[in-house]
Amino acid sequence: MKPSLSSSPIHRTVLSNGIIVLVAENPVADIVAARMFVRSGSCYETREQAGLAHLLSAVMTKGCEGLSSWELAEQVESVGASLSADAATDYFLLSLKTVTSDFSEILTLAGRILRSPTFPEAQVELEKRLALQNIRSQKEQPFTVAFSQMRQVMYQNHPYAMSILGDETTMGGLSRADLVQFHQTYFRPDNLVISIAGRVTVEDAVALVEQVFGDWQIPSQPLPLLTLPAIQAEPQHRLQPVQTQQSIVMLGYLGSPVSCPDYAPLKLLSTYLGNGLSSRLFVELREKRGLAYEVSAFYPTRLYPGSFVVYMGTAPENTSIALQGLRTEVDLLCTTEVSETALQAAKNKILGQYALGKQTNGQIAQIYGWYETLGLGLDFDQEFQELIASVSVQDAITAACKYLQAPYVSLVGQETAINSAFPSAA
């Protein structure tokens, strides 16, 4: 067992079987939250099995060795605890929250679920049906359709191109055997981060994890190496005629991964452009010009190159002018300096939201466990804030000129609206 030193308030320990244990003592409330991260999100699926990590998360808590789905739920709910599983692009997550006195019992239960899920056939089929319903319903949501075709054209053969749910073909083809195989491959102690926050001492938390997981042996075969296709930037447009009351106009740019120095300037530009009612896009395109039902920007934090996206929901007759308006606002980032005042306001916003996102034990366990899982280390919590604070006007312009030049365009709306924006497509 090797504790390591860090400037972070989190204690990090590596067990002899490779499990990384993070503990944040927070005695304010009589609650403990834990997040168990496995490096096995949708990036680890084959294209033919897209949706596998999501299906695994849906079925994971529906039965484990010795306990049925009902018995599991009863054991958790009888003490007022919560326990759930989720899958993301870069990781799989098992989350729990409980009062301190029940932490040992619920962590033990979580250990059984993580190590020996039974994947009951009936539950697999039920969750597949629910996922397929979800996939079909998303096809009726213009924003989801626009973002889906944006991802596909931007990421091509990379797993980021696919929805976490996969599509009807891939989800429909998944079987219980696929879940068992995926679980056996990636759910192992040397691929696990357990992050704990709440009213528990470091010693007690580590001892408890050791008790629940200490006998879990590292398999003899090494973890498969993740080899992903390179992402080539080839901006193009995707147009989808749909009978809808509004057009969704979306511009996308291939950004940087979180480990790249350009990440902080791009994160700040995304906040400046489209985060909240005081953002540039909201003020210019909605307040001043009345073009937008909704307008925003986002740039999710990713292990591989993230997508920098700006979008607007607008009336069909405004589709062409909305597209021009969005493009103009992004292009201005390269040609017109963002003022020091506006840049500072964006910094205050992003750092304020970041601080507010670390208030509960669950949020604390989540953010440190996530940083550890992405390979950023515990100090990234402080580094991120310093990186944002140190971005200069020139840094912002440089990042905009490097990444935000030629956009991918995704447009969903009435055929006449699409033809007005792209006459050549008519």
Side-chain angles (χ1 to χ4, degrees), residues 36-58:
M36 300 175 201
F37 290 83
V38 183
R39 294 180 189 90
S40 65
S42 61
C43 267
Y44 297 77
E45 307 161 341
T46 62
R47 175 57 69 102
E48 297 71 34
Q49 292 187 326
L52 182 57
H54 167 80
L55 186 60
L56 186 82
S57 72

Side-chain angles (χ1 to χ4, degrees), residues 289-300:
R289 299 178 65 185
L291 288 175
Y293 298 133
E294 58 174 331
V295 63
S296 190
F298 56 90
Y299 174 51

Side-chain angles (χ1 to χ4, degrees), residues 12 15 42 113-114 116 145 147 153 170 179 188 194 198 249 258 266 309 311 332 335 348 362 368 386 396:
R12 181 181 186 275
L15 304 189
S42 61
I113 290 170
L114 207 61
S116 55
V145 173
F147 188 45
V153 71
T170 61
L179 296 178
R188 42 191 281 169
I194 299 179
V249 182
V258 62
L266 286 173
V309 175
Y311 75 93
L332 280 172
T335 57
N348 295 344
Y368 286 105
E386 291 166 0

Side-chain angles (χ1 to χ4, degrees), residues 70-115:
W70 183 86
E71 288 167 330
L72 267 177
E74 207 275 333
Q75 202 163 323
V76 173
E77 291 167 12
S78 65
V79 294
S82 67
L83 193 153
S84 62
D86 194 22
T89 52
D90 298 325
Y91 59 86
F92 178 95
L93 182 63
L94 189 66
S95 306
L96 66 88
K97 184 173 74 172
T98 177
V99 295
T100 307
S101 57
D102 296 319
F103 180 53
S104 173
E105 177 190 343
I106 299 300
L107 187 72
T108 302
L109 186 63
R112 289 173 71 178
I113 290 170
L114 207 61
R115 294 175 65 173

